[in-house]
Amino acid sequence: MAENEISPTTRRAVLLAAGSAAVGALTAACGTSTVALRTAPQQTSEPASPPRGTSTPGCVLTTEWGTGPYYLDLDRVRSDITDGREGVPLRLDLTVVRVSEGCRPVKGVAVDVWHADAQGTYSSGQDVFLRGTQVSDGAGRCVFRTIVPGWYAGLAPHIHFKVRRPDTRTETSSQLFFPEDLLRRLYAKQPYARRPVPEHPNARDSRYRDSGNALTLAPAADGAGYRAAYTVGID
């Protein structure tokens, strides 16, 4: 099954896009005790950082995308998911809010993140690189330390995420994209440049054309890598 064969689900996820001004504001760690997970190796936490003069963005409805063929239900609770894979470092700060309750932060939901490595390869079998789970803290926040993904199969480079809600036993799954100009700059360097770089990494993907405006991160330089924030609103 190719990932570009996936159709949008009938259920829509409400996604609250954190603009570039919000990058660096959402940096608290995920809690670990509210949701019962099967395993919890390499559990880590991050110190909270206060907001720095950011404004609350407006709610944006967008189509929810499925998990694709590469999702693995591992419940591997950890913040750093790199497992030594080469690539430009990326800190991804996610916040989960319930839009139906005035965008109230949601505590205790499991958030899964997974994506391809710099060569466009997903982990499988016994491999677990670039996969991890965190549980949202009292402010609805969690943070993942990973790398900027590579490209594959004619699709826009992306990071998958899934929010699992124990109260309703439902899930919200979608994916996050990157600005194309940033990708072209990064892909001209190693380790990404080991393969021919697509001229337009994003525009060739119909999902990006449909939902890119609402699902594109706004990464900001952070030391040797980048940092991006996104707020996921659930109903």
Side-chain angles (χ1 to χ4, degrees):
M1 175 181 178
E3 189 169 351
N4 57 352
E5 293 175 355
I6 300 168
S7 298
T9 61
T10 55
R11 182 165 52 87
R12 295 195 302 173
V14 182
L15 296 165
L16 191 65
S20 57
V23 173
L26 308 173
T27 60
C30 290
T32 56
S33 61
T34 307
V35 175
L37 301 177
R38 292 192 296 274
T39 58
Q42 301 184 30
Q43 188 167 324
T44 61
S45 61
E46 298 274 351
S49 298
R52 296 194 287 250
T54 59
S55 59
T56 302
C59 291
V60 179
L61 286 171
T62 190
T63 302
E64 178 184 359
W65 293 101
T67 58
Y70 301 113
Y71 175 69
L72 297 177
D73 186 7
L74 299 177
D75 283 340
R76 190 175 178 85
V77 180
R78 57 188 186 158
S79 179
D80 189 334
I81 65 174
T82 56
D83 280 325
R85 307 306 285 192
E86 293 183 297
V88 175
L90 173 69
R91 172 172 173 157
L92 177 62
D93 298 342
L94 298 178
T95 299
V96 182
V97 299
R98 192 177 298 281
V99 176
S100 60
E101 298 179 9
C103 292
R104 175 182 63 83
V106 182
K107 176 183 178 181
V109 293
V111 181
D112 302 322
V113 163
W114 69 102
H115 62 85
D117 66 9
Q119 303 306 307
T121 301
Y122 280 85
S123 58
S124 61
Q126 298 299 314
D127 292 329
V128 293
F129 62 81
L130 304 177
R131 298 179 182 272
T133 300
Q134 288 279 274
V135 180
S136 59
D137 67 6
R141 296 178 290 192
C142 55
V143 57
F144 293 90
R145 292 187 178 275
T146 184
I147 62 169
V148 175
W151 67 96
Y152 70 97
L155 302 180
H158 55 277
I159 293 178
H160 290 278
F161 68 86
K162 175 190 283 190
V163 177
R164 292 180 278 150
R165 294 173 272 179
D167 55 342
T168 60
R169 296 184 180 179
T170 58
E171 300 172 344
T172 296
S173 301
S174 197
Q175 57 194 283
L176 301 170
F177 301 105
F178 294 82
E180 190 165 79
D181 58 344
L182 174 64
L183 292 176
R184 286 198 297 265
R185 292 200 305 272
L186 297 185
Y187 288 171
K189 304 175 182 179
Q190 298 296 345
Y192 306 94
R194 294 171 187 166
R195 298 184 296 153
V197 179
E199 183 177 359
H200 297 290
N202 288 340
R204 57 191 181 152
D205 190 334
S206 61
R207 294 174 304 175
Y208 178 82
R209 294 194 298 270
D210 290 342
S211 307
N213 288 340
L215 293 168
T216 299
L217 296 169
D222 183 30
Y226 289 84
R227 183 173 173 178
Y230 200 88
T231 303
V232 182
I234 62 178
D235 53 18

